[in-house]
Amino acid sequence: MDLSHLKNKIAVVGVGYTPQGKVPGRTAASFHVEAVKNALADAGLTKEDIGALVLYRHFDAIGGDYETTAFTVAEQLGVSPTLISQEHQCTRGWLFNAVGLLTAGLVNYVVISYGDNSRSGRRSFVKELSGGKATDELAAYGDLSTMAKYAMLARRAMEKYGTGPHVWKEISIAQRRWAQLNPMAGMYGKPLDEAGYYAANLVVDPFRLLDATPSSDGGRAVVLTTAERAKGMKNPPVYLRGIGSANRPVSPFRLCLEDENSAARVSSREAFAMAGITHRDVDACELYDCFTYTVEATLRDYGFFKPGEEGSFLSAERLGPSGDFPVNTSGGMLSEGYFMGLTPLAEAVMQLRGACGERQLGAVSGTKQPEIIVCSDNGGVFQSHVTLVLSREER
């Protein structure tokens, strides 16, 4: 798909954070509302400027909370946008929907919002059992969670490529090192070494506890608009130089490791081609990291290394502070906070703005000053994928 006509046409102009980690006594909707308000303030906008309000994901209510819908959040914000929307599944349509709305001139600003009280409410991602009874035949084979599905693919990669915990610990340690430079991170003040990684219990073989993203209370929101409208706004715009989106809608147990049409490969090819870049042009990656293995698989599918090179490419020294290939500089979902695809996107924007304090790429952290950052958003179990190439300049 040729997307070159969209190059640098859309920009991110606002990012909104909330308290995160364990924040008891809050509803999911309250995190959405706070994140949106903060994103609008960051962009120098008011709530009346919202043309489209898109809730990143719908979750079942937990902990005695009310169901959170886009209607609920819009009502509590006191707005009536032209469009309100909410994804029920993990199909990651928010990016193309936002780009379409903005380039068609249907709205001036799109707000994407995520909010959840999953840590305080102890959200479970086990859908194969309900009330102690199986909801589908997968439960009979021990496939009881999203983690089990990712673990199955990780085990297959171990057999095929020789990867495994000796590689995943490097990813976990590198991201924890970044988190030590981020006071907002859930794992701030909790350093990790090799012994600590291996001491963590196995949860779903071959994954240990530290291979999996912990849940977080909190919210995150971003504001997008056209590049033309972004000029002269409160903060320097961060441009969508390249974008890609793809789906591989098959059951996880049918996915192949070396698939030229995997969602990640297709979307990254589109985004890199649109941006007119090669892998050598990329200064950092902010990736969807629901598991350590997801980082490995994404970088492999994106073509940063060849199958079988996992052990030599993925080291904590390379991926962490002062490394030559920074990955997930906020700590990522593994060590900062679980806000799905908005965790990496928000960090990429802030890095390109130069607003990340001690973890700022460049002279502060002993790395290259970032010009181009690649972002990923992974849906389902490698079944949907969005790739963004973000840039500080219109080039």
Side-chain angles (χ1 to χ4, degrees):
M1 184 188 303
D2 183 7
L3 301 175
S4 57
H5 61 291
L6 295 173
K7 181 178 179 180
N8 292 327
K9 297 297 184 183
I10 304 298
V12 182
V13 294
V15 179
Y17 293 80
T18 73
Q20 59 190 51
K22 188 171 185 180
V23 191
R26 292 281 299 267
T27 64
S30 74
F31 288 121
H32 276 286
V33 170
E34 185 176 358
V36 170
K37 290 177 66 176
N38 290 340
L40 291 171
D42 183 58
L45 300 171
T46 68
K47 63 183 182 180
E48 285 73 27
D49 293 310
I50 301 175
L53 175 65
V54 179
L55 269 59
Y56 182 92
R57 178 70 198 277
H58 176 270
F59 289 118
D60 295 334
I62 54 174
D65 198 2
Y66 295 100
E67 181 182 19
T68 300
T69 70
F71 288 115
T72 305
V73 175
E75 180 181 22
Q76 293 192 11
L77 283 166
V79 297
S80 299
T82 299
L83 179 141
I84 57 176
S85 179
Q86 183 176 25
E87 283 199 356
H88 188 76
Q89 301 295 337
C90 292
T91 49
R92 301 303 188 259
W94 64 267
L95 175 63
F96 273 25
N97 288 337
V99 171
L101 288 165
L102 291 167
T103 55
L106 296 173
V107 300
N108 292 337
Y109 298 97
V110 176
V111 177
I112 315 294
S113 174
Y114 180 99
D116 199 16
N117 54 356
S118 58
R119 183 170 177 184
S120 294
R122 302 180 65 84
R123 182 174 302 287
S124 170
F125 289 92
V126 176
K127 298 295 184 182
E128 291 75 15
L129 291 175
S130 180
K133 296 182 179 179
T135 59
D136 62 37
E137 68 279 5
L138 296 177
Y141 299 94
D143 184 352
L144 298 177
S145 67
T146 301
M147 185 183 296
K149 294 172 175 60
Y150 277 92
M152 174 180 63
L153 293 167
R155 172 61 69 180
R156 192 180 299 168
M158 288 175 66
E159 300 297 327
K160 191 173 184 67
Y161 303 135
T163 186
H166 66 287
V167 173
W168 304 333
K169 72 174 171 59
E170 299 292 315
I171 296 169
S172 186
I173 291 170
Q175 294 190 202
R176 188 68 68 88
R177 288 177 180 172
W178 282 116
Q180 303 317 297
L181 304 176
N182 180 7
M184 287 189 64
M187 295 300 173
Y188 180 71
K190 300 176 182 178
L192 176 67
D193 59 15
E194 184 173 317
Y197 171 85
Y198 282 117
N201 292 334
L202 282 168
V203 282
V204 177
D205 189 21
F207 287 153
R208 288 172 166 78
L209 183 65
L210 298 181
D211 289 310
T213 294
S215 60
S216 306
D217 298 334
R220 193 69 51 85
V222 296
V223 182
L224 296 90
T225 190
T226 61
E228 190 62 33
R229 189 170 287 108
K231 294 175 181 176
M233 291 186 65
K234 182 179 177 181
N235 291 304
V238 172
Y239 297 100
L240 304 191
R241 179 167 172 169
I243 57 174
S245 180
N247 295 282
R248 200 63 161 151
V250 298
S251 298
F253 63 83
R254 294 178 55 212
L255 291 172
C256 299
L257 292 178
E258 295 183 7
D259 180 1
E260 286 300 316
N261 294 312
S262 74
R265 290 193 185 192
V266 173
S267 68
S268 63
R269 285 199 298 262
E270 289 181 353
F272 276 54
M274 174 180 164
I277 65 166
T278 69
H279 297 88
R280 293 180 181 178
D281 298 313
V282 178
D283 298 316
C285 287
E286 307 292 350
L287 304 176
Y288 192 100
D289 58 324
C290 48
F291 301 97
T292 50
Y293 173 68
T294 312
V295 175
E296 173 195 315
T298 301
L299 290 172
R300 183 171 54 235
D301 273 3
Y302 277 21
F304 283 100
F305 58 82
K306 295 179 181 178
E309 296 179 346
E310 291 80 0
S312 59
F313 187 91
L314 298 169
S315 70
E317 287 68 31
R318 168 174 278 176
L319 307 181
S322 77
D324 62 3
F325 191 72
V327 171
N328 291 346
T329 55
S330 71
M333 296 193 298
L334 285 165
S335 285
E336 187 220 337
Y338 182 61
F339 306 107
M340 292 193 159
L342 296 192
T343 297
L345 177 56
E347 178 66 9
V349 172
M350 299 302 281
Q351 283 287 351
L352 288 168
R353 282 189 191 174
C356 287
E358 287 188 72
R359 70 183 188 279
Q360 178 60 49
L361 294 173
V364 173
S365 58
T367 59
K368 182 182 177 183
Q369 179 75 21
E371 299 291 337
I372 294 175
I373 295 180
V374 168
C375 247
S376 74
D377 189 3
N378 165 65
V381 184
F382 299 119
Q383 294 153 306
S384 289
H385 202 93
V386 162
T387 307
L388 304 96
V389 178
L390 303 177
S391 174
R392 291 194 302 130
E393 299 179 7
E394 289 184 276
R395 293 188 297 175

